[in-house]
Amino acid sequence: MTKGYLVLETGETFEGDWIGAEREISGEVVFNTSMTGYQEMLTDPSYTGQLLTFCYPIVGNYGMNKDDVESKHIAVSAVITSDICEEPSHYQSTSSFSEELKQANIPGLQNVDTRSLVNAIRKHQTVKGKLVKEASQSTHRWEYKNSLDLVKHAAVTSIESYGDGTFHVVLVDFGFKKSILDALLQENCKVTIVPYHTSFEDIQAMDPDGVLISNGPGDPMELLAFLPTVKAITKTYPTLGICLGHQLIALAYGGKTKKMPFGHRGSNHPVKDVSTGKVHMTSQNHGYVVLEESIDPQQFQITFRNVNDRTLEGIRHWMLPVQSVQFHPEAHPGPSDTEFIFNHFIQQVILSRGGTYVEA
């Protein structure tokens, strides 16, 4: 094996062995605490531009398949792991973890002390890093990646249509996960996916029953140019925002966001429903959060809060059929506790068409 190194901007260096493509690359170093779902994580567009560390000590044991993907290609810039299984055992497996990385030209390191790495990230909070071939290099360039460029890389470039259900939903794509599309199709929807820069007039011409604003990578404050379209959508159609979509809806109505110390990335984040007190386990992947004190209580009610750090996890407009959540109700990987969010969205669509609300 060829030795490689992860050098952090804070000075720490972590040794490992190269996997995938042996090429140097830099980016924000983040970690995910999930025990399973490494394939879904690799292909989650919200990881675009990031170096993903797996906390679980072994990945690759059930291989890679053609079904458990969240986009058409691997989204992460690089991966950092402890142990990798090169001989996976699963009837659906078509290739190994490292083979898939090499085929996609994605670099990574294995045999890294990931526990120490995660401790360093938690200590220093937001950390940039670079995979290098020589640890003795004295200078490293810490590249800044504009959020719009990340979204351009993650989102579709042309309109795509799926399904032939009763309800027509336009999915505004900032880097959507395939499981969101699957959830809408299961709710009897026809889904039209449009690029993030699609104008409100073009969306109107599609005559949707509702609109979903997707997740995606980057800092929502660098996407302010799209807020007028987001606000026009919410004032016209039943709207659901997920993750980045949640943040954009909040910003469109005067809210504010901030960078989190090291984000929420995992499949076991407890979220409390404010109205019922019930706690749901959720899948999350975000590095920014909406500040609750910035939400106008005359316009929005708070629907969910994170149990661990009490950060804002969901809002609903008092008058308009608009709701958004910071977590991922479609999960994958993770629990399906909050999949009812999609049903609530469709019920709002039904009400807007003059139908009757039916509690799921």
Side-chain angles (χ1 to χ4, degrees), residues 19-276:
I19 53 173
E22 293 186 15
R23 63 184 181 90
E24 297 187 346
I25 195 167
S26 62
E28 181 184 5
V29 185
V30 300
F31 63 88
N32 189 295
T33 59
S34 295
M35 296 175 65
T36 61
Y38 54 79
Q39 182 166 346
E40 291 92 333
M41 288 184 249
L42 285 179
T43 54
D44 182 345
S46 293
Y47 281 118
T48 301
Q50 295 179 326
L51 281 56
L52 174 60
T53 303
F54 292 94
C55 290
Y56 196 67
I58 183 171
V59 298
N61 52 309
Y62 52 88
M64 305 284 281
N65 61 62
K66 302 300 182 183
D67 298 320
D68 296 328
V69 293
E70 292 298 334
S71 63
K72 297 176 182 178
H73 53 78
I74 292 179
V76 300
S77 290
V79 297
I80 302 146
T81 73
S82 177
D83 188 22
I84 290 181
C85 176
E86 294 291 3
E87 297 181 355
S89 176
H90 195 279
Y91 74 97
Q92 288 181 311
S93 177
T94 57
S95 63
S96 71
F97 185 91
S98 59
E99 287 171 346
E100 204 76 16
L101 290 180
K102 183 169 288 189
Q103 188 174 17
N105 197 34
I106 301 296
L109 291 180
Q110 66 171 322
N111 299 323
V112 175
D113 184 352
T114 52
R115 176 171 291 187
S116 295
L117 174 57
V118 170
N119 282 336
I121 297 171
R122 290 178 64 91
K123 174 183 175 182
H124 300 297
Q125 302 184 2
T126 300
V127 179
K128 293 186 179 68
K130 186 173 184 179
L131 296 189
V132 296
K133 297 180 180 179
E134 298 291 338
S136 59
Q137 295 181 22
S138 59
T139 60
H140 300 284
R141 291 177 57 238
W142 308 109
E143 299 177 4
Y144 171 76
K145 297 182 179 179
N146 181 274
S147 296
L148 183 56
D149 291 336
L150 298 177
V151 170
K152 286 180 180 177
H153 181 78
V156 298
T157 57
S158 59
I159 296 173
E160 300 179 4
S161 296
Y162 298 87
D164 57 358
T166 303
F167 312 108
H168 181 205
V169 173
V170 167
L171 194 164
V172 182
D173 178 25
F174 286 85
F176 83 101
K177 288 175 60 183
K178 185 179 74 68
S179 290
I180 294 177
L181 170 62
D182 293 340
L184 291 174
L185 294 176
Q186 290 173 8
E187 291 289 344
N188 192 27
C189 293
K190 170 188 174 183
V191 182
T192 302
I193 302 173
V194 301
Y196 61 94
H197 53 73
T198 304
S199 69
F200 175 66
E201 290 72 23
D202 287 343
I203 292 174
Q204 273 188 310
M206 298 175 190
D207 192 28
D209 297 308
V211 177
L212 190 150
I213 303 174
S214 83
N215 63 292
D219 182 352
M221 287 297 293
E222 295 182 356
L223 303 172
L224 299 182
F226 306 105
L227 297 187
T229 299
V230 169
K231 193 163 188 178
I233 288 170
T234 60
K235 286 183 172 292
T236 310
Y237 303 104
T239 306
L240 172 62
I242 295 177
C243 203
L244 177 62
H246 158 75
Q247 297 164 1
L248 294 176
I249 289 174
L251 289 173
Y253 282 86
K256 297 180 180 179
T257 59
K258 71 170 183 178
K259 179 73 171 175
M260 303 179 75
F262 38 80
H264 289 166
R265 297 179 179 90
S267 58
N268 61 344
H269 287 265
V271 168
K272 180 181 283 189
D273 185 321
V274 173
S275 63
T276 66

